[in-house]
């Protein structure tokens, strides 16, 4: 019994021992492949593979976003013989013989900041940032060109374009097919230049490079400058509607202080021309080139006050609310119409006359959907109680300098 | 703004009528202080047609001043096409509006607050901790007809004092621009700052809205403003506004017209200067001969259409008439020279007899005399050269 017991104990012991020493697992032999792209390709190729995008990918616009990886040049900031350990290597970073003594290889005790400096240089390499543009100088959207200023046009024969400013309106890639080159890509830039005093011109130019296209467009616009009459130096003469292609713009004259309430392209154009107050609504296509052309057509076809009085033989009289509606004679005809004649229908109304008898359809504004809802009425009821609170507050502050009644 | 003023005028006139009745019963209310106040009822003298005519003439109607640019909520511009006739009509309307804007706030006596008890019901004594104010808010009543009474805690029923009456009126029938509590700009220190900044028009315009002409504040504030103007000699700020007449009246009443006279002479408003002296004589019954000169001025002055004149000016017509060319070049007409001849002796007479600042005024008269003589010579020379009689 003892023997049996002793034997079984021995077997168990051996089993445990074996398991501890070498776990009961199938022994796997690792196979190594000694060839890979690391030793087949050159460093340059490997880096290109990691940091760039394939040609096919490039065409689809890949590798442009924030995750773009940039290859770091690890050699930058390194010099042979200088490392983290401060050593004198004769013949490498020190002369071999100084005077008549042979210089020995030697470790210097001073600590240098070699590692830190190199890391700093490498960190800078990875994080490239676009220089911050002042919010005023920014364009319509993000870091895109449209809406941004590209400065005055270049001088032509010492004819300086002083006080001129050019703004990009459109910057896009266009393709054409070439016999030998196939699909050829170019940048097309539409820009407008003006002096904010009624002189302005616009032009489209194409070039393989953005910068060239911008320059070409700017200088071409300078050659096409035309004079646009401004009313009171701040707005248009009258309401008008103008069209080019499928684009139609309805422009309204507005008083000082109104601002430019219109499409961003029209806003930019107006600013460059020198118009500060106007309301414009585009109907139809918002194609940028069409907008520019339509607006320029409209501005050029305006009737000035002198023209109107010359053509109608009537006085043009201005009534300003701010001067108590006192009649102010803007322009008088050579010979006024006989006063007894009743005014013909077409010239009796100024607005009708300047719009060439056309009437712009004013669509009725519908009341918002919630106007009849129970909740809105409740809200109005609740608001009624506190409707004068703000005024009371202001009054209390003004008289007692305190929000308590005395 | 305009409508508001008109409304305000209506209101002022209403209270003014009430005052006429009240004024006959009250005596002198003048107080001896730094601010000059009317010691008698100035209203009969002020509303006198002759005085009004003088004041209006001195105020002058300068359209550029009356319709000068102001801040408005809607500054839109309207254009119209017009024939000459329509334009003339438009100018006539505009001149009417200008005259409306120049309507003077009345100068009346200060009203005294008196306690007027209706009934003494001692049985009601202690009926409440607070007094009750009862206001008649019947629609369509004039503010002056509106009864405001107070039931005191001791049971007395009496007419409310002026201050409570005004507050109740403003509470139930608010006047645009008037606030229930007196604006802080009329407090002494703030008013002084406004005066130092020479915002005379601002003060006077707001005062006219905030106070009725019979209120003591109206008198003290306006007096302070006028006296300040007299010190700074900025009379031109008020010229061609509705406050110029009351200001001139104030100076004439208190016999301190010399600075204003000097200003008028220096600016070559000799007719106005003569009118100012006439007003002084009239108010104080000094020299009866002023009536003659006023009559003569009236005779010489042609009855011209103001609207047409302004229209001509606006059109700036290159007129074919040589006569008008000469006039516009020199800035004076034959009539103006005749008027000057008439007014100057009258002014000099005043200076020698009554003026306090004699030297200064004599110097100014002499200068203007020389300038006008030169102008006249030039005028006659050119007229002769062109063969115009």
């Amino acid at each position: 019994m003892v023997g049996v017991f002793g034997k079984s104990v021995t077997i168990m012991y051996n089993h445990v021992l074996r398991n501890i020493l070498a776990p009961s697992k199938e022994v796997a032999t690792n196979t190594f492949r000694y060839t890979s792209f690391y030793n087949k390709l050159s460093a340059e190729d490997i880096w290109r593979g990691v940091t760039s995008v394939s040609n096919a990918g490039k065409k689809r616009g890949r590798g442009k976003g924030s995750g773009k990886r940039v290859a770091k040049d690890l050699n930058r900031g390194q010099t042979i013989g200088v490392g983290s350990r401060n050593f004198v290597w004769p013949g490498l970073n020190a002369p071999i013989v100084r005077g008549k003594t042979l210089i020995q290889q030697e470790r210097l005790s001073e600590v240098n900041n070699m590692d830190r400096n190199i890391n700093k240089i490498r960190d800078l390499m990875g994080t490239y940032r676009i220089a911050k543009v002042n919010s005023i100088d920014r364009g319509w959207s993000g870091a895109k060109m449209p809406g941004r200023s590209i400065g005055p046009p270049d001088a032509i024969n010492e004819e300086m374009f002083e006080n001129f400013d050019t703004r990009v309106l459109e910057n896009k890639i266009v393709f054409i097919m070439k016999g030998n080159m196939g699909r050829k890509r170019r940048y097309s830039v539409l820009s407008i230049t003006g002096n904010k005093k009624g002189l302005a011109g616009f032009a489209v130019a194409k070039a393989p490079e953005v910068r060239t296209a911008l320059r070409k467009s700017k200088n071409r616009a300078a050659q096409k400058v035309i004079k646009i009459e401004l009313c009171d130096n701040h707005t248009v003469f009258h309401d008008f509607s103008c069209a080019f292609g499928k684009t139609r713009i309805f422009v309204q004259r507005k008083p000082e202080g109104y601002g430019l309430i219109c499409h961003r392209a029209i806003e930019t154009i107006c600013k460059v021309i020198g118009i500060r107050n106007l309301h414009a609504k585009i109907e139809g296509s918002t194609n940028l080139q069409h907008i520019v052309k339509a607006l320029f057509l409209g501005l050029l076809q305006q009737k000035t006050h002198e023209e109107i009085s010359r053509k109608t033989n009537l006085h043009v009289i201005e009534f300003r609310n701010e001067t108590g509606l006192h009649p102010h004679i803007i322009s008088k005809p050579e010979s006024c119409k006989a006063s007894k004649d009743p005014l013909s229908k077409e010239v009796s109304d100024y607005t009708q006359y300047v719009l060439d008898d056309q009437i712009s359809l004013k669509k009725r504004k519908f009341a918002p959907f919630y106007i009849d809802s129970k909740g809105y009425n409740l809200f109005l009821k609740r608001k009624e109680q506190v409707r004068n609170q703000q005024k009371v507050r202001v009054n209390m502050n003004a008289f007692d300098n305190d929000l308590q009644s005395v | 703004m305009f409508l508001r003023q008109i409304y305000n005028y209506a209101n002022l006139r209403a209270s003014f009528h009430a005052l006429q009745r009240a004024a006959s019963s009250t005596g002198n209310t003048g107080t001896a202080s730094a601010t000059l106040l009317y010691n008698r009822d100035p209203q009969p003298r002020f509303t006198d047609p002759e005085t009004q005519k003088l004041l209006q003439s001195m105020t002058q109607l300068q359209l550029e001043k009356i319709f000068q640019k102001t801040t408005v909520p809607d500054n839109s511009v309207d254009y119209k096409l017009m024939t000459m006739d329509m334009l003339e009509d438009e100018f006539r309307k505009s001149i009417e509006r200008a005259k409306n804007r120049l309507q003077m706030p009345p100068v009346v006596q200060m009203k005294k607050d008196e306690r007027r008890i209706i009934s003494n019901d001692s049985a009601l004594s202690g009926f409440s901790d607070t007094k009750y104010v009862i206001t008649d808010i019947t629609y369509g009543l004039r503010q002056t007809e509106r009864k405001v009474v107070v039931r005191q805690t001791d049971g007395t029923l009496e007419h409310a004092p002026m201050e409570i009456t005004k507050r109740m009126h403003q509470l139930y029938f608010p006047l645009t621009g008037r606030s229930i509590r007196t604006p802080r700009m009329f407090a002494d220190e703030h008013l002084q700052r406004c005066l130092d900044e020479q915002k005379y028009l601002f003060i006077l315009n707001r005062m006219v809205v905030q106070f009725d002409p019979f209120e003591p504040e109206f008198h003290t504030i306006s007096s302070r403003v006028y006296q300040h103007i007299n010190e700074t000699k900025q009379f031109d700020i008020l010229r061609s506004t509705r406050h110029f007449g009351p200001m001139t009246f104030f100076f004439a009443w208190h016999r301190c017209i010399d600075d204003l006279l000097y200003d008028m002479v220096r600016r070559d408003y000799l007719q106005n200067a003569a009118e100012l002296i006439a007003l002084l004589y009239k108010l104080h019954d000094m020299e009866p001969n002023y009536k003659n000169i006023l009559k003569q001025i009236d005779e010489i002055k042609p009855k011209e259409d103001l609207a047409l004149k302004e229209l001509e000016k606006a059109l700036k017509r290159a007129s074919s008439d040589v006569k008008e060319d000469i006039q516009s070049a020199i800035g004076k007409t034959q009539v103006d020279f005749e008027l000057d001849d008439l007014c100057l002796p009258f002014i000099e007479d005043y200076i020698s007899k009554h003026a306090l600042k004699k030297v200064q005024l004599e110097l100014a008269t002499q200068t203007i005399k020389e300038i006008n003589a030169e102008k006249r010579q030039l005028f006659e020379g050119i007229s002769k050269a062109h063969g115009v009689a």
Side-chain angles (χ1 to χ4, degrees):
Chain A
M1 192 59 200
V2 172
V4 173
F5 179 73
K7 193 183 176 184
S8 65
V9 167
T10 318
I11 292 165
M12 261 172 72
Y13 175 77
N14 282 343
H15 186 71
V16 169
L17 196 69
R18 208 184 299 136
N19 260 336
I20 289 166
L21 289 176
S24 63
K25 219 182 177 182
E26 279 181 26
V27 176
T29 51
N30 278 340
T31 50
F32 288 99
R33 200 201 286 205
Y34 291 100
T35 55
S36 78
F37 57 80
Y38 279 118
N39 46 24
K40 271 206 291 189
L41 294 175
S42 66
E44 203 175 306
D45 286 340
I46 295 170
W47 271 117
R48 206 173 53 228
V50 176
T51 58
S52 68
V53 183
S54 69
N55 259 343
K58 234 180 231 168
K59 275 182 189 167
R60 288 176 176 83
R62 282 178 202 149
K64 273 185 169 175
S66 56
K68 190 181 179 186
R69 277 172 293 184
V70 185
K72 290 182 188 178
D73 185 358
L74 299 182
N75 289 330
R76 256 179 80 180
Q78 302 235 52
T79 15
I80 288 174
V82 180
S84 54
R85 291 187 181 183
N86 217 357
F87 248 87
V88 174
W89 301 101
L92 195 61
N93 59 2
I96 300 167
V97 184
R98 188 178 288 147
K100 279 181 183 175
T101 50
L102 196 70
I103 288 178
Q104 294 294 316
Q105 179 185 331
E106 188 191 3
R107 182 169 188 173
L108 297 173
S109 57
E110 294 162 36
V111 184
N112 63 3
N113 299 325
M114 184 70 198
D115 283 357
R116 215 190 298 161
N117 288 343
I118 280 191
N119 281 335
K120 210 185 257 174
I121 289 166
R122 286 177 188 168
D123 285 348
L124 278 175
M125 268 193 283
T127 54
Y128 168 71
R129 274 196 195 152
I130 301 165
K132 189 151 188 166
V133 189
N134 190 318
S135 57
I136 294 166
D137 304 329
R138 264 177 239 159
W140 298 336
S141 154
K144 304 269 165 59
M145 274 319 279
R148 279 179 69 171
S149 166
I150 47 173
D154 301 335
I156 306 170
N157 296 338
E158 289 166 25
E159 186 69 38
M160 303 290 285
F161 285 91
E162 271 168 27
N163 304 324
F164 270 71
D165 184 35
T166 316
R167 299 241 164 211
V168 180
L169 292 174
E170 193 182 45
N171 177 21
K172 62 182 181 185
I173 301 168
V174 289
F175 295 96
I176 47 166
M177 296 306 283
K178 288 271 182 176
N180 52 354
M181 293 174 69
R183 212 165 126 90
K184 196 181 173 234
R185 187 177 67 169
R186 288 195 295 178
Y187 287 90
S188 159
V189 169
L190 166 65
S191 67
I192 177 163
T193 187
N195 69 346
K196 299 192 172 184
K197 282 175 190 164
L199 286 181
F202 67 93
V204 186
K206 297 188 194 80
E209 290 291 323
V210 181
R211 204 174 286 183
T212 338
L214 288 172
R215 185 172 43 77
K216 267 172 82 177
S217 154
K218 176 169 80 175
N219 292 336
R220 197 175 286 170
Q223 291 173 338
K224 297 180 177 180
V225 166
I226 40 180
K227 171 76 184 157
I228 289 160
E229 296 285 339
L230 301 183
C231 185
D232 304 342
N233 284 329
H234 76 94
T235 186
V236 290
F237 278 90
H238 50 77
D239 299 0
F240 61 84
S241 88
C242 46
F244 189 90
K246 285 279 180 195
T247 302
R248 180 164 279 280
I249 310 175
F250 293 90
V251 178
Q252 284 172 25
R253 185 204 141 90
K254 288 289 172 189
E256 192 83 82
Y258 184 85
L260 296 164
I261 310 296
C262 49
H263 188 278
R264 59 187 185 182
I266 297 181
E267 186 192 334
T268 307
I269 296 166
C270 286
K271 274 182 185 167
V272 167
I273 293 173
I275 296 170
R276 300 197 303 276
N277 304 289
L278 126 181
H279 178 281
K281 174 86 186 102
I282 299 177
E283 273 188 16
S285 160
T286 49
N287 180 323
L288 271 169
Q289 301 197 3
H290 284 198
I291 292 175
V292 180
K293 284 165 191 169
L295 190 67
F296 264 77
L297 278 177
L299 288 173
L300 288 175
Q301 282 166 1
Q302 284 183 97
K303 300 179 180 94
T304 62
H305 298 312
E306 283 74 32
E307 272 172 39
I308 293 171
S309 65
R310 200 170 54 237
K311 277 182 189 160
T312 56
N313 278 339
L314 290 167
H315 293 88
V316 178
I317 314 293
E318 184 187 68
F319 294 87
R320 281 177 182 275
N321 273 335
E322 51 195 10
T323 55
L325 295 178
H326 181 61
H328 180 55
I329 301 164
I330 294 294
S331 73
K332 56 183 170 69
E334 296 272 305
S335 59
C336 188
K337 230 174 222 177
S339 330
K340 269 134 205 158
D341 293 351
L343 287 181
S344 60
K345 213 178 177 185
E346 67 266 23
V347 291
S348 60
D349 186 31
Y350 179 83
T351 325
Q352 197 185 334
Y353 178 76
V354 292
L355 284 175
D356 292 329
D357 292 338
Q358 288 185 326
I359 297 166
S360 58
L361 174 66
K362 295 244 161 48
K363 281 180 189 160
R364 193 166 67 89
K365 268 195 179 165
F366 290 103
F369 66 92
Y370 53 78
I371 210 89
D372 287 330
S373 68
K374 198 175 166 188
Y376 182 65
N377 281 313
L378 270 176
F379 163 77
L380 287 183
K381 263 180 204 163
R382 253 182 281 125
K383 271 281 162 203
E384 199 192 2
Q385 297 174 359
V386 293
R387 68 193 185 280
N388 282 332
Q389 228 170 43
Q390 183 58 28
K391 279 183 215 157
V392 172
R393 224 169 243 275
V394 169
N395 218 6
M396 278 179 150
N397 263 329
F399 282 107
D400 306 325
N401 224 350
D402 193 9
L403 286 181
Q404 286 176 2
S405 53
V406 180
Chain B
M1 182 64 195
F2 186 51
L3 275 177
R4 188 165 83 217
Q5 284 167 1
I6 296 280
Y7 177 49
N8 195 27
Y9 277 136
N11 201 38
L12 290 182
R13 251 177 273 137
S15 46
F16 169 66
H17 284 302
L19 202 78
Q20 271 180 310
R21 268 174 272 134
S24 55
S25 61
T26 47
N28 284 356
T29 51
T31 48
S33 66
T35 47
L36 292 170
L37 296 171
Y38 292 101
N39 48 0
R40 283 180 288 128
D41 184 9
Q43 179 264 321
R45 289 295 176 96
F46 181 76
T47 43
D48 179 66
E50 199 181 35
T51 316
Q52 283 291 311
K53 198 182 160 195
L54 288 175
L55 292 178
Q56 277 165 11
S57 171
M58 277 186 274
T59 301
Q60 300 189 0
L61 191 129
Q62 301 168 354
L63 287 183
E64 311 83 59
K65 183 79 181 280
I66 298 166
F67 294 118
Q68 66 185 347
K69 203 172 163 186
T70 49
T71 316
V72 284
D74 172 23
N75 62 345
S76 59
V77 186
D78 196 16
Y79 289 98
K80 276 179 187 159
L81 298 172
M82 286 184 175
T83 61
M84 205 58 198
D85 272 12
M86 291 158 86
L87 192 56
E88 211 181 295
D89 274 0
E90 215 44 67
F91 262 81
R92 268 178 224 292
K93 275 185 216 161
S94 192
I95 297 258
E96 277 312 303
R97 280 205 303 272
K99 280 181 182 163
N100 259 333
R101 284 189 176 198
L102 287 187
Q103 200 177 10
M104 287 175 259
V107 177
V108 296
Q109 199 172 26
M110 218 187 280
K111 206 168 165 184
K112 244 188 183 171
D113 216 359
E114 288 170 335
R115 201 169 177 209
R116 284 178 294 157
I117 295 171
I118 299 166
S119 76
N120 234 329
D121 307 313
S122 49
L124 283 174
S125 168
F127 79 105
S128 169
D129 295 339
T130 54
K131 54 186 176 184
Y132 278 57
V133 178
I134 301 124
T135 312
D136 178 9
I137 55 166
T138 318
Y139 175 75
L141 277 188
R142 276 175 169 181
Q143 293 291 63
T144 42
E145 293 166 350
R146 214 170 277 290
K147 293 270 184 304
V148 181
V149 292
V150 180
R151 173 74 77 182
Q152 302 286 2
T153 44
D154 62 356
T156 319
L157 183 69
E158 60 183 38
H159 286 282
M162 262 161 59
E163 188 237 331
I164 292 182
T165 315
K166 187 183 175 187
R167 207 164 67 217
M168 287 301 129
H169 286 165
Q170 182 60 15
L171 192 66
Y172 290 110
F173 302 94
L175 191 81
T176 328
R178 183 182 280 188
S179 67
I180 289 186
R181 299 169 76 174
T182 308
R184 293 182 81 190
M185 67 168 273
F186 293 122
D188 243 15
E189 69 271 24
H190 301 300
L191 187 66
Q192 192 54 46
R193 208 180 65 223
C194 283
L195 287 172
D196 291 341
E197 288 168 17
Q198 304 196 344
K199 292 178 175 169
Y200 303 126
L201 263 183
F202 174 58
I203 302 171
L204 289 173
N205 280 336
R206 190 142 192 218
M207 180 196 77
V208 164
V209 180
Q210 182 64 34
F211 302 109
D212 287 322
F214 53 78
E215 283 183 80
E217 287 91 341
F218 191 98
H219 283 252
T220 48
I221 293 167
S222 60
S223 159
R224 253 182 95 174
V225 174
Y226 299 151
Q227 278 173 289
H228 201 273
I229 292 176
N230 205 21
E231 275 164 34
T232 54
K233 305 195 174 32
Q234 300 291 324
F235 305 103
D236 206 42
I237 294 178
L238 290 202
R239 186 165 279 121
S240 213
T241 68
R242 53 182 169 160
H243 306 292
F244 195 83
M247 179 185 76
T248 316
F249 187 79
F250 179 86
F251 290 147
W253 184 278
H254 293 106
R255 296 168 193 255
C256 48
I257 60 163
D258 283 10
D259 286 316
L260 181 57
L261 189 71
Y262 174 74
D263 183 72
M264 282 170 169
V265 172
R266 211 170 47 84
R267 286 176 196 273
D268 197 10
Y269 297 144
L270 291 182
Q271 191 200 329
N272 285 354
E275 282 163 346
L276 179 63
I277 295 165
L279 180 67
L280 180 81
Y281 289 166
K282 183 183 160 58
L283 288 184
H284 300 289
D285 303 320
M286 280 157 75
E287 306 218 3
N289 70 338
Y290 72 88
K291 282 200 168 154
N292 281 333
I293 196 155
L294 291 182
K295 215 168 135 193
Q296 280 169 331
I297 288 174
D298 263 359
E299 278 165 8
I300 293 178
K301 230 170 176 191
K303 297 268 177 298
E304 56 190 1
D305 193 337
L306 203 58
L308 270 181
K309 198 180 149 201
E310 288 296 334
L311 177 59
E312 292 281 316
K313 225 198 274 176
L315 279 172
K316 283 187 209 111
R317 258 206 189 132
S319 95
S320 52
D321 196 356
V322 182
K323 219 170 173 177
E324 282 177 31
D325 266 353
I326 300 167
Q327 279 166 16
S328 59
I330 295 170
K332 282 202 155 194
T333 61
Q334 185 63 40
V335 178
D336 287 335
F337 286 120
E338 278 172 41
L339 277 175
D340 289 353
D341 287 346
L342 195 66
C343 295
L344 265 170
F346 185 65
I347 297 167
E348 278 168 342
D349 180 52
Y350 165 80
I351 294 170
S352 60
K353 278 186 191 161
H354 305 288
L356 298 172
K357 300 187 173 178
K358 265 185 189 140
V359 184
Q360 203 184 357
L361 280 168
E362 268 166 11
L363 222 73
T365 332
Q366 201 51 44
T367 319
I368 207 75
K369 236 181 182 172
E370 280 161 21
I371 292 171
N372 280 347
E374 227 168 83
K375 273 187 185 173
R376 187 167 201 161
Q377 211 178 350
L378 191 67
F379 178 80
E380 277 165 2
I382 296 173
S383 301
K384 209 173 177 184
H386 284 279
V388 186

